[in-house]
Amino acid sequence: MCGRFALHDESATLFEEMAVEQSRVEIAPRYNIAPTQPVAVILQEQGRTLDAFKWGLVPFWAKDPKIGNRMINARAETLAEKPAFKAALKRRRCLIPASGYYEWQKTDDGKVPHYLHMADDRPFAMAGLWEGWTSPEEEIIRTCTIITTEANDFAARVHHRMPVILDPEGQSAWLDPACDDPQQLSSILIPYPTDDMAAHPVSTRVNTATFEDPSCI
């Protein structure tokens, strides 16, 4: 799974790497992004647009928004089958930019957090889905989830799952509004190649969601 990540790159770098054309939000460096918090998302709406949604997808048909607490990740292998994700797969896809993400490796001394990132430290795009949920007060709450897949050989040293990381071609295909074929979309959601990645253990302070500091990484 992917339960924590970081996004600390400058906006100009992020916009260049992911071809963002406009922004609806200002983003500040984050080093310990946790579920239920606002996260940066990139949508294909009048060009590539940066926005911020709550992490934890709430399906449009949900009666209780707390369901989103359990939907921070969506398995690539079953997206087209799950009622919570199948509509969003066809119509509401997004990119979730990151500088790196955390996974916990099981050891004899307990779980050790690791920070996984690109070897050259460039930001990357994780595949995501989003939804709009209308509250009883008629407020529209936009939420998102990160799609995961089987880990590549490198990431599997730490954990057996990893987020789907998309290269520029995959980003364009994932955001293409003309594509709504689940089979074609699923073919994009594969493990990222191992050559570009790096990882190192970090302090267990990252276990605390309220701890937000550059020392996390």
Side-chain angles (χ1 to χ4, degrees):
M1 63 176 293
C2 178
R4 298 284 177 81
F5 68 99
L7 179 61
H8 52 77
D9 291 275
E10 294 184 359
S11 296
T13 301
L14 187 66
F15 289 8
E16 181 178 357
E17 285 287 337
M18 297 175 198
V20 174
E21 298 169 72
Q22 59 181 334
S23 178
R24 297 172 180 158
V25 293
E26 294 289 333
I27 58 171
R30 296 289 314 280
Y31 297 91
N32 194 12
I33 302 170
T36 75
Q37 296 177 354
V39 300
V41 298
I42 297 171
L43 314 172
Q44 191 69 39
E45 292 185 350
Q46 298 176 334
R48 286 199 190 182
T49 300
L50 183 72
D51 209 330
F53 295 169
K54 183 178 179 180
W55 186 11
L57 188 137
V58 180
F60 67 89
W61 43 258
K63 294 182 179 179
D64 187 346
K66 291 181 181 178
I67 191 175
N69 297 343
R70 305 193 304 272
M71 296 194 180
I72 64 169
N73 290 160
R75 294 176 67 92
E77 298 88 340
T78 57
L79 286 180
E81 305 166 12
K82 298 291 186 180
F85 306 128
K86 59 193 305 183
L89 175 62
K90 287 188 174 184
R91 305 180 188 91
R92 291 178 288 278
R93 301 182 298 274
C94 63
L95 305 176
I96 300 176
S99 303
Y101 72 97
Y102 300 97
E103 284 293 1
W104 281 256
Q105 184 181 47
K106 291 182 179 179
T107 72
D108 293 339
D109 298 320
K111 292 183 177 180
V112 178
H114 285 65
Y115 183 63
L116 294 93
H117 57 99
M118 295 294 109
D120 61 1
D121 287 324
R122 72 184 186 278
F124 56 89
M126 302 182 289
L129 302 174
W130 69 272
E131 277 284 6
W133 182 79
T134 304
S135 73
E137 296 75 29
E138 299 300 315
E139 178 187 8
I140 298 177
I141 300 173
R142 286 178 142 187
T143 61
C144 63
T145 188
I146 295 171
I147 299 173
T148 66
T149 187
E150 181 180 351
N152 61 32
D153 290 343
F154 179 84
R157 301 173 191 173
V158 180
H159 194 273
H160 68 283
R161 303 286 295 178
M162 70 181 296
V164 172
I165 297 174
L166 299 173
D167 63 16
E169 182 179 353
Q171 293 171 32
S172 296
W174 184 246
L175 291 180
D176 184 358
C179 182
D180 62 1
D181 177 22
Q183 186 172 359
Q184 182 178 349
L185 291 165
S186 295
S187 69
I188 301 169
L189 306 176
I190 58 177
Y192 190 79
T194 61
D195 296 345
D196 288 351
M197 297 188 70
H200 59 269
V202 295
S203 168
T204 54
R205 288 179 297 181
V206 76
N207 295 353
T208 303
T210 55
F211 184 75
E212 179 76 46
D213 187 87
S215 64
C216 287
I217 64 170

